[in-house]
Amino acid sequence: MSALLPDDEYNRVLMENVHPPQWRNPEPAGRYNLVVLGAGTAGLVTAAGAAGLGARVALVERHLMGGDCLNYGCVPSKSIIRSSRAIGEVRDADRLGVRIPVGVEADFRAVMERMRRVRAEISHHDSARRFRELGVDVFLGEGRFAGPDKVEVGDTVLRFAKAVIATGARPVDPPIEGLAQAGYLTNETVFSLSDRPRRLLVLGGGPIGCELAQAVRRLGSEVIIAGRAPQFLPREDQDAAAILARAFQRDGIDIRLKTTISRIVVAAEGKKAHLITDGREDVVTVDEILAGAGRAPNVEDLGLEAAGVAYDTRLGVTVNDFLQTTNHAIYAAGDVCLAHKFTHTADATARIVIQNALFRGRKKLSGLTIPWCTYTDQEIAHVGLYERQAREKGMEVDTFTRQLSEVDRAIADGEEEGFVKVHVRRGSDEILWATIVARHAGEMISEITLAMVGKIGLRTLATVIHPYPTQAEAIKQVADAYNRTRLTPFIQGVFRRWLEWTR
Ligand SMILES: Cc1cc2nc3c(=O)[nH]c(=O)nc-3n(C[C@H](O)[C@H](O)[C@H](O)COP(=O)(O)OP(=O)(O)OC[C@H]3O[C@@H](n4cnc5c(N)ncnc54)[C@H](O)[C@@H]3O)c2cc1C
């Protein structure tokens, strides 16, 4: 748990909302329908939804309402990514025939201040007072189970019919010799920087590492990104990762894939990181190191043993498909129990929990169709299975791809590098998964998600009129490509004979 710095007007507004210094916890109101541990997205959505339906709800937060997303995750990262995109636009403007006579430079302090302003502005949605007005009893303090049907917050005991564990996750401390002594940044501290690090080493080529490496590079730091895997975003489509690597090269990021760090040594000139790539050692000197590799679920010190809740320190709280833990009165939602650690999955699982815990619903985690997006430039969005999962299930797949270099709007935008790739069950138009690489792939993927949720196949997507010219036309063009495969030689023959006959 890290303090938010600096102590300026924006962070003071933020704290007034997410952890008001003068806050007094209410008197517990008898037995609650629902006690929610953790007020990140999963906890907030569960508490607000349940209270809105008339449940008596207690919400316990030990640090900042809004959790990672508001304070240390999506909101601050997307704010600085917006500024870094502006730099990219100006830098590349001459490709569009726009000359910018003097060079472009980010004002790092101003970018970080804007981020704090944006975060403070959004924070009232998640504020303790707003939740009190929604009818939720908000307890600020560390919560832990004191038995199968009670939670303690300090000396206060909250009894419940049902409870939800929504305690989220935290950055993993990389086990690298000398790193702790040298000191390093995580997502909990990087957004407190006011001064730009001149040289930054980013550990990890996953979504968090990639997004922040590119953003900070464009804001003017020299950036080295080191990942163990042979590609960025190791679980994503190889072609997508290759496009990202090229974008990083254009940005001037020093890329070290298939790389481990053996140790860090502090010297007068900076932090010296010993990188091992293909058995060769290289030493780089940086001012800051950002650990962006891996998230660990917050399962420690929750009294889970007393509550009869099984967990794994790596995988999180054990849940069944109904998000029920091994104590059937206790559920879990969000990062603490999910492999897909996203705000929208925290939200979606909170909705499942409300129905299942309070109304004996039978909504299933496995019923969710989950999209996600890495907000690099270009964005990489995905929905549905991973290729590996499809192979494990022995699924036969047909793939339809449209390169953005064939899409008029992308050409006009000068954003030809990217694609829409849709995979269907062989011999059918049922979409199994899709990857989009485009400037705004995160906006485009929802059309395919909707199709998958609504069980709409590529045949129907081909009939959807898209405004011309848009990059999303690529989706329709993929569907057209599928339709062309239905034009078998036999059907072509029938058509030909019909046309000859009606001439
Ligand atoms: C840099 C970064 C960028 C990200 N960007 C995106 C993005 O663009 N899109 C996206 O979908 N996701 C993104 N994520 C992931 C997203 O932030 C998380 O998936 C989401 O916040 C999970 O919500 P949650 O409620 O499960 O957990 P959290 O947000 O972690 O909330 C858990 C809360 O529980 C509290 N808590 C823990 N233990 C206790 C206890 N014993 N008692 C009381 N309270 C407790 C914590 O203080 C915390 O407030 C990003 C994450 C990071 C780190």
Side-chain angles (χ1 to χ4, degrees):
M1 288 192 291
S2 305
L4 292 164
L5 298 171
D7 179 20
D8 67 353
E9 58 175 307
Y10 302 118
N11 278 345
R12 280 195 289 276
V13 169
L14 177 72
M15 291 307 284
E16 264 310 319
N17 282 329
V18 300
H19 195 120
Q22 314 302 334
W23 186 260
R24 280 182 188 277
N25 286 340
E27 280 301 313
R31 191 163 183 253
Y32 287 95
N33 291 102
L34 202 61
V35 169
V36 183
L37 267 190
T41 305
L44 292 173
V45 173
T46 315
L53 294 168
R56 187 187 289 172
V57 182
L59 175 63
V60 186
E61 171 54 52
R62 68 175 174 186
H63 190 33
L64 306 177
M65 307 262 302
D68 266 4
C69 179
L70 172 68
N71 301 293
Y72 306 124
C74 328
V75 172
S77 62
K78 268 74 249 178
S79 301
I80 66 166
I81 283 171
R82 178 68 189 91
S83 304
S84 79
R85 276 204 170 198
I87 298 269
E89 285 273 317
V90 178
R91 187 194 61 193
D92 296 341
D94 62 340
R95 288 198 304 123
L96 306 176
V98 177
R99 304 269 170 271
I100 307 226
V102 281
V104 51
E105 191 180 81
D107 178 344
F108 191 83
R109 281 185 164 258
V111 168
M112 297 309 266
E113 186 180 293
R114 172 183 177 273
M115 176 275 291
R116 294 194 297 277
R117 177 169 56 71
V118 167
R119 184 171 59 182
E121 195 177 315
I122 292 175
S123 65
H124 72 92
H125 294 301
D126 298 351
S127 80
R129 284 187 196 87
R130 175 166 173 263
F131 273 74
R132 184 168 62 192
E133 281 156 22
L134 292 174
V136 175
D137 281 355
V138 176
F139 294 85
L140 295 184
E142 182 104 26
R144 66 193 317 273
F145 289 96
D149 60 355
K150 54 180 184 254
V151 160
E152 280 175 357
V153 188
D155 297 334
T156 306
V157 176
L158 309 175
R159 296 191 174 277
F160 61 78
K162 298 284 164 55
V164 184
I165 304 167
T167 50
R170 61 180 186 280
V172 167
D173 297 323
I176 297 172
E177 186 189 322
L179 180 63
Q181 294 83 334
Y184 61 99
L185 299 166
T186 68
N187 69 294
E188 294 186 2
T189 47
V190 69
F191 301 113
S192 286
L193 289 179
S194 289
D195 293 319
R196 176 176 63 203
R198 192 164 66 80
R199 301 161 300 180
L200 176 73
L201 169 63
V202 177
L203 305 181
I208 295 173
C210 286
E211 286 184 6
L212 291 177
Q214 192 182 41
V216 176
R217 170 67 192 141
R218 289 185 175 187
L219 296 178
S221 298
E222 287 169 29
V223 173
I224 304 165
I225 182 166
R228 279 172 191 273
Q231 69 169 52
F232 294 114
L233 308 178
R235 285 180 288 188
E236 301 297 341
D237 184 287
Q238 281 183 9
D239 296 335
I243 290 178
L244 186 57
R246 286 201 290 277
F248 281 2
Q249 270 157 6
R250 282 196 298 273
D251 278 313
I253 296 175
D254 182 346
I255 297 171
R256 308 293 180 106
L257 291 168
K258 294 193 275 180
T259 298
T260 53
I261 288 104
S262 62
R263 66 200 163 102
I264 310 284
V265 179
V266 181
E269 49 295 17
K271 300 174 185 183
K272 289 184 173 291
H274 293 246
L275 311 182
I276 315 283
T277 310
D278 292 331
R280 275 181 299 105
E281 188 180 71
D282 187 17
V283 181
V284 296
T285 307
V286 294
D287 304 298
E288 294 283 5
I289 298 170
L290 171 66
R295 313 274 304 151
N298 291 324
V299 288
E300 296 82 6
D301 304 324
L302 288 178
L304 295 180
E305 294 79 3
V309 172
Y311 64 94
D312 178 298
T313 50
R314 208 170 49 85
L315 302 175
V317 169
T318 309
V319 286
N320 62 19
D321 208 11
F322 304 105
L323 293 170
Q324 223 166 9
T325 70
T326 45
N327 174 339
H328 280 190
I330 302 179
Y331 290 71
D335 281 8
V336 75
C337 64
L338 299 178
H340 292 102
K341 293 186 181 2
F342 304 112
T343 292
H344 46 274
T345 43
D347 180 305
T349 50
R351 288 162 200 261
I352 291 180
V353 163
I354 294 170
Q355 296 178 59
N356 290 357
L358 297 181
F359 299 102
R360 300 189 182 177
R362 304 295 284 168
K363 291 279 176 211
K364 290 184 178 174
L365 176 63
S366 58
L368 296 177
T369 302
I370 302 175
W372 57 88
C373 183
T374 301
Y375 298 91
T376 40
D377 190 11
Q378 302 81 329
E379 294 179 353
I380 298 181
H382 181 112
V383 60
L385 297 177
Y386 274 126
E387 189 165 357
R388 172 182 44 81
Q389 292 169 316
R391 257 189 274 115
E392 280 164 14
K393 291 182 180 183
M395 287 175 162
E396 303 249 306
V397 174
D398 287 325
T399 300
F400 297 91
T401 307
R402 186 71 169 173
Q403 299 294 336
L404 291 190
S405 54
E406 299 166 313
V407 178
D408 293 358
R409 178 58 187 272
I411 298 168
D413 285 339
E415 294 169 6
E416 300 95 326
E417 208 176 10
F419 56 79
V420 172
K421 212 186 252 191
V422 178
H423 309 264
V424 295
R425 196 183 290 277
R426 176 152 297 166
S428 84
D429 72 341
E430 180 195 343
I431 302 170
L432 297 173
W433 80 95
T435 301
I436 300 182
V437 182
R439 196 88 200 280
H440 295 288
E443 308 288 343
M444 290 165 70
I445 198 78
S446 294
E447 180 177 352
I448 298 184
T449 310
L450 173 67
M452 291 174 74
V453 171
K455 307 220 177 310
I456 296 167
L458 277 186
R459 272 166 80 164
T460 310
L461 280 186
T463 67
V464 175
I465 301 175
H466 289 68
Y468 177 86
T470 50
Q471 294 197 14
E473 274 190 295
I475 296 172
K476 182 177 182 324
Q477 291 164 356
V478 159
D480 287 339
Y482 163 77
N483 263 350
R484 283 195 291 279
T485 65
R486 295 170 58 222
L487 203 60
T488 59
F490 173 75
I491 294 176
Q492 276 176 323
V494 171
F495 282 0
R496 201 174 46 247
R497 280 194 296 280
W498 166 259
L499 291 170
E500 281 165 7
W501 185 58
T502 57
R503 211 171 273 156

